[in-house]
Amino acid sequence: MHTNTLRTALLEAAGWLFYLSLLMLLALALPRSVFDPESRDYLLLIGAVGIWRYSMGAVHFVRGILFLYVVYPYYQRKLQKFGKDADPSQVFLLVTSFRIDALTTAQVYRSVIREAIDCGYPTTLVCSIVELSDELLVKNLWTRMNPPEQVKLDFVRIPGTGKRDGLAYGFRAISRQMPDENAVVAVIDGDTVLGEGVVRKTVPWFKLLPNVGGLTTNEFCEVRGGYIMSEWHKLRFAQRHLNMCSMALSKRVLTMTGRMSVFRAEVVTNPAFIADVESDHLEHWRLGRFQFLTGDDKSSWYSLMSLGYDTFYVPDAAINTVEHPPEKSFIKASRKLMFRWYGNNLRQNARALRLGTRRLGWFTSVVLFDQRVSMWTSLLGLSVAIIASIKYGPGIFIAYLLWIGLTRLVLTLLLSISGHRIGPAYPVILFYNQIVGAMVKIYVFFRLDQQSWTRQPTKLDRGLLSFQRWFNTWSSRSMTFAAASVFIATLLALV
C-alpha cells in the first residue's frame, strides 16, 4: 500500500511539472505584441462576458466556503442542543437496483444493512428490485449480518421498466406502512456504498430545519475505468461539492441526487410527489408532450419546490459511488453521460424559472438563467480567439491558451479547499468540460425529447406518426444550425 501511494505521488508530481512546463513554453512562444490595437472589440467582448462568467464562479466559491466553514458549523452547534429530540421516529432505507454487477450490489447492501444496524433507530430496509438473484443475495447478507429486531426487511419486486417506476413502487410500499410525521426516508441508488455514520449525520436535520423537505449528501467515487475517466468523475464531484454548499446557503440545493438523498416521509408518501417522480413530463411547443425517462433527481427537486419545501446539503455525510463508464473510450463515455445529465438539467430549467423569484429567490433564479446561457458563453472565448488569430495572427491564440492554462490551474487549486483531492489532469479536463460540455448542451437543448439510460437499454418510445418523427428530427437540426449560424455571424461582425 505504501509503495502504491508513493508511486501515485511521484506520478502526480511529474504531471504537475509537465503541466507547468507547458505553460512556460506557451509564455515563451508569445510575440512581443500579442494584441493588435485594432482588436479592441475582441478585448471588450471577452472582458464583458468574462466578468459575468468569472463573477458567477467567484460568487459560488465564496458562498460555498462561507457555508462549509461558517454557516454549517453554526447549524451543527444548534443541532447538538436538540440531543435525542432530533431523532426520527422511524427510518426507511429505500434501495433501487437493476443490472448492477453482483460485487457492487453486495458492497452496497452490506453498507446499507450496517447503517441500519448502527444508526440505532427503528429502521426498515426496502429493496426495490427486478431480478430474483438480487433478492437472494440480500437475504444471504441479511442472514449473515443478523440485524436486531428493530431492523426490518421488505422487498418490492418490479418490472424492469426504469428507475422511476422502481422509486414509485418503493414509495407506495412505504406509504402502506403509514409512517408518522417524524419518520424519514433515505433513497439510495444501487451503486452507492454508504459511508459510516451517514444515516445519523443526515436524519436529525429535519428537526432543526422544519421547512426542509429533502437533503442530499457529499459524494466520492470509485471508477471502474482508466485514469482520465477516473479523474473526470472525481473533478465533477469536487465541483459538485462547492456548488451544493453554495446553494445550501439559500436552502435551494438544485438536485436531490438519486445516489443518496433523504426526505421527510410525508413528502415521499404525498401522491403529488409520487406522480412527479413516476410520470413527470413536459409539454414542448415544438416536440409535443413527452415523458421524462431519466432525471428523477431533478423531478424530485422540482416537486419539492412546487410543494413549498426547502432543500439542504450535508457536506460531512459522505457516500461512495461505484462508477461504471458506459464506453471504454473516454470521449464516447463522457459525451454519453453529459447528454444524459444536461438533458435532465435543461428539461427542468425553463419550468423551474417559471416558479418565480418569490419562490426560488433571486440568486437561484440567476443560477438557473446562467445554466441556459452558459452553453454559448462557454464557447465564446475559444471562438473569438480562433477568429481573431486568423485576422491578427497566431499570437492571440497562443495568449488565449496561456490564459486558459493559468486560470484553470487557479480553479483547480481553489477546488482543493473543498476537501476533495486534486490532480494534474484537472486543468485540462476543466477546459474539456467547458468546450465539449457546451456543445453537448447546445445539441441536447434542441432535442429535449431524446433520452436513454447509460446503463440500461430502456429508451423512450412515444409512438409518433412518421410525419411527426420527421418534423421533430428536421426541425431540431434546422434550429441547431440556425442558432449556431447566428452565434458565429455575431462574432464575425464584432471581431
Side-chain angles (χ1 to χ4, degrees), residues 69-87:
Y69 294 109
V70 179
V71 175
Y72 184 71
Y74 168 72
Y75 281 153
Q76 282 183 308
R77 290 191 295 271
K78 288 184 67 176
L79 184 62
Q80 287 172 358
K81 295 177 181 177
F82 279 83
K84 291 282 186 181
D85 292 338
D87 290 351

Side-chain angles (χ1 to χ4, degrees), residues 232 330-331 334-335 337-339 341-343 346 371 374-376 378-379 429-445:
W232 184 71
F330 167 71
I331 302 293
S334 59
R335 280 170 48 206
L337 290 167
M338 284 179 182
F339 184 86
W341 296 336
Y342 294 152
L346 291 169
Q371 289 177 352
S374 63
M375 68 184 86
W376 299 106
S378 296
L379 292 175
I429 298 173
L430 277 168
F431 187 58
Y432 171 84
N433 283 348
Q434 176 186 327
I435 302 304
V436 177
M439 291 191 289
V440 172
K441 258 190 183 180
I442 291 169
Y443 180 85
V444 74
F445 180 75

Side-chain angles (χ1 to χ4, degrees), residues 45-271:
L45 185 64
I46 292 298
V49 176
I51 288 171
W52 169 265
R53 292 193 61 236
Y54 286 108
S55 295
M56 285 298 297
V59 169
H60 268 305
F61 179 78
V62 172
R63 285 171 55 93
I65 296 301
L66 180 63
F67 175 80
L68 191 59
Y69 294 109
V70 179
V71 175
Y72 184 71
Y74 168 72
Y75 281 153
Q76 282 183 308
R77 290 191 295 271
K78 288 184 67 176
L79 184 62
Q80 287 172 358
K81 295 177 181 177
F82 279 83
K84 291 282 186 181
D85 292 338
D87 290 351
S89 59
Q90 191 174 8
V91 174
F92 294 89
L93 303 176
L94 171 61
V95 185
T96 57
S97 299
F98 180 50
R99 292 194 175 172
I100 298 172
D101 65 274
L103 177 62
T104 302
T105 301
Q107 282 181 279
V108 169
Y109 279 100
R110 190 179 293 112
S111 72
V112 175
I113 297 170
R114 183 204 68 227
E115 279 300 295
I117 296 170
D118 293 349
C119 73
Y121 306 126
T123 305
T124 302
L125 171 56
V126 181
C127 308
S128 183
I129 58 176
V130 176
E131 293 151 332
L132 178 61
S133 58
D134 287 344
E135 182 175 339
L136 295 175
L137 188 152
V138 174
K139 284 181 176 177
N140 182 263
L141 285 171
W142 187 267
T143 302
R144 287 163 59 185
M145 297 181 75
N146 191 27
E149 286 187 10
Q150 68 180 18
V151 181
K152 297 179 171 53
L153 178 64
D154 189 15
F155 287 100
V156 180
R157 293 290 297 275
I158 63 167
T161 51
K163 185 181 174 184
R164 287 181 178 272
D165 286 343
L167 289 171
Y169 276 74
F171 292 157
R172 292 191 182 101
I174 293 170
S175 299
R176 287 192 289 272
Q177 299 195 35
M178 301 181 69
D180 62 30
E181 61 181 9
N182 293 316
V184 297
V185 179
V187 178
I188 304 160
D189 216 349
D191 56 4
T192 300
V193 180
L194 303 187
E196 289 190 18
V198 70
V199 172
R200 292 199 67 87
K201 288 177 181 177
T202 52
V203 297
W205 287 99
F206 294 102
K207 184 66 71 173
L208 176 67
L209 306 170
N211 200 51
V212 166
L215 56 84
T216 193
T217 50
N218 195 0
E219 290 187 35
F220 296 86
C221 64
E222 174 192 338
V223 182
R224 307 283 169 84
Y227 172 76
I228 296 297
M229 179 57 71
S230 177
E231 294 295 282
W232 184 71
H233 275 284
K234 289 171 183 175
L235 169 62
R236 175 175 169 261
F237 286 134
Q239 290 178 299
R240 171 191 181 275
H241 180 55
L242 273 179
N243 285 334
M244 289 285 192
C245 288
S246 170
M247 300 311 300
L249 197 61
S250 309
K251 298 187 184 67
R252 289 293 181 274
V253 174
L254 293 178
T255 181
M256 290 290 99
T257 176
R259 297 304 179 84
M260 182 181 174
S261 292
V262 188
F263 301 87
R264 294 183 185 274
E266 66 185 33
V267 170
V268 302
T269 57
N270 186 324

Side-chain angles (χ1 to χ4, degrees), residues 189-484:
D189 216 349
D191 56 4
T192 300
V193 180
L194 303 187
E196 289 190 18
V198 70
V199 172
R200 292 199 67 87
K201 288 177 181 177
T202 52
V203 297
W205 287 99
F206 294 102
K207 184 66 71 173
L208 176 67
L209 306 170
N211 200 51
V212 166
L215 56 84
T216 193
T217 50
N218 195 0
E219 290 187 35
F220 296 86
C221 64
E222 174 192 338
V223 182
R224 307 283 169 84
Y227 172 76
I228 296 297
M229 179 57 71
S230 177
E231 294 295 282
W232 184 71
H233 275 284
K234 289 171 183 175
L235 169 62
R236 175 175 169 261
F237 286 134
Q239 290 178 299
R240 171 191 181 275
H241 180 55
L242 273 179
N243 285 334
M244 289 285 192
C245 288
S246 170
M247 300 311 300
L249 197 61
S250 309
K251 298 187 184 67
R252 289 293 181 274
V253 174
L254 293 178
T255 181
M256 290 290 99
T257 176
R259 297 304 179 84
M260 182 181 174
S261 292
V262 188
F263 301 87
R264 294 183 185 274
E266 66 185 33
V267 170
V268 302
T269 57
N270 186 324
F273 180 84
I274 297 174
D276 282 340
V277 173
E278 183 179 30
S279 54
D280 202 1
H281 64 277
L282 186 66
E283 295 278 358
H284 194 272
W285 67 274
R286 177 174 56 86
L287 301 171
R289 176 192 169 106
F290 55 89
Q291 295 280 115
F292 291 172
L293 183 62
T294 62
D296 55 276
D297 53 348
K298 296 291 185 183
S299 296
S300 56
W301 171 80
Y302 177 76
S303 188
L304 285 171
M305 289 293 105
S306 302
L307 293 169
Y309 290 101
D310 295 336
T311 54
F312 194 63
Y313 179 62
V314 184
D316 60 351
I319 60 171
N320 294 279
T321 62
V322 183
E323 303 288 344
H324 298 83
E327 300 281 351
K328 290 183 179 179
S329 163
F330 167 71
I331 302 293
K332 289 181 179 178
S334 59
R335 280 170 48 206
K336 265 192 175 182
L337 290 167
M338 284 179 182
F339 184 86
R340 177 161 65 87
W341 296 336
Y342 294 152
N344 295 339
N345 186 303
L346 291 169
R347 277 185 283 275
Q348 294 289 354
N349 186 283
R351 65 178 187 173
L353 276 170
R354 286 197 291 270
L355 291 174
T357 55
R358 182 174 295 181
R359 177 70 194 103
L360 297 174
W362 278 104
F363 182 73
T364 305
S365 299
V366 170
V367 170
L368 290 170
F369 171 75
D370 183 61
Q371 289 177 352
R372 297 181 73 81
V373 300
S374 63
M375 68 184 86
W376 299 106
T377 58
S378 296
L379 292 175
L380 189 66
L382 177 62
S383 304
V384 175
I386 292 171
I387 295 169
S389 64
I390 293 171
K391 183 173 182 180
Y392 301 113
I396 287 181
F397 192 72
I398 296 173
Y400 171 75
L401 290 179
L402 180 61
W403 171 252
I404 289 297
L406 290 171
T407 53
R408 272 53 190 176
L409 176 61
V410 171
L411 290 175
T412 298
L413 295 176
L414 289 176
L415 282 175
S416 65
I417 300 174
S418 71
H420 284 248
R421 187 193 66 80
I422 61 172
Y426 279 24
V428 178
I429 298 173
L430 277 168
F431 187 58
Y432 171 84
N433 283 348
Q434 176 186 327
I435 302 304
V436 177
M439 291 191 289
V440 172
K441 258 190 183 180
I442 291 169
Y443 180 85
V444 74
F445 180 75
F446 296 106
R447 295 162 180 81
L448 293 177
D449 58 328
Q450 293 185 18
Q451 309 162 66
S452 65
W453 284 102
T454 47
R455 187 173 62 231
Q456 304 171 13
T458 314
K459 288 195 174 184
L460 182 65
D461 181 11
R462 300 171 61 192
L464 298 176
L465 298 174
S466 58
F467 172 77
Q468 187 65 49
R469 287 198 303 271
W470 175 88
F471 174 79
N472 287 359
T473 299
W474 282 99
S475 63
S476 294
R477 291 175 181 174
S478 300
M479 294 193 73
T480 306
F481 178 77

Side-chain angles (χ1 to χ4, degrees), residues 4-25:
N4 288 337
T5 304
L6 180 62
R7 181 171 175 270
T8 302
L10 289 172
L11 287 173
E12 289 198 352
W16 283 115
L17 184 61
F18 178 70
Y19 183 79
L20 292 173
S21 299
L22 283 178
L23 291 184
M24 283 187 251
L25 286 172

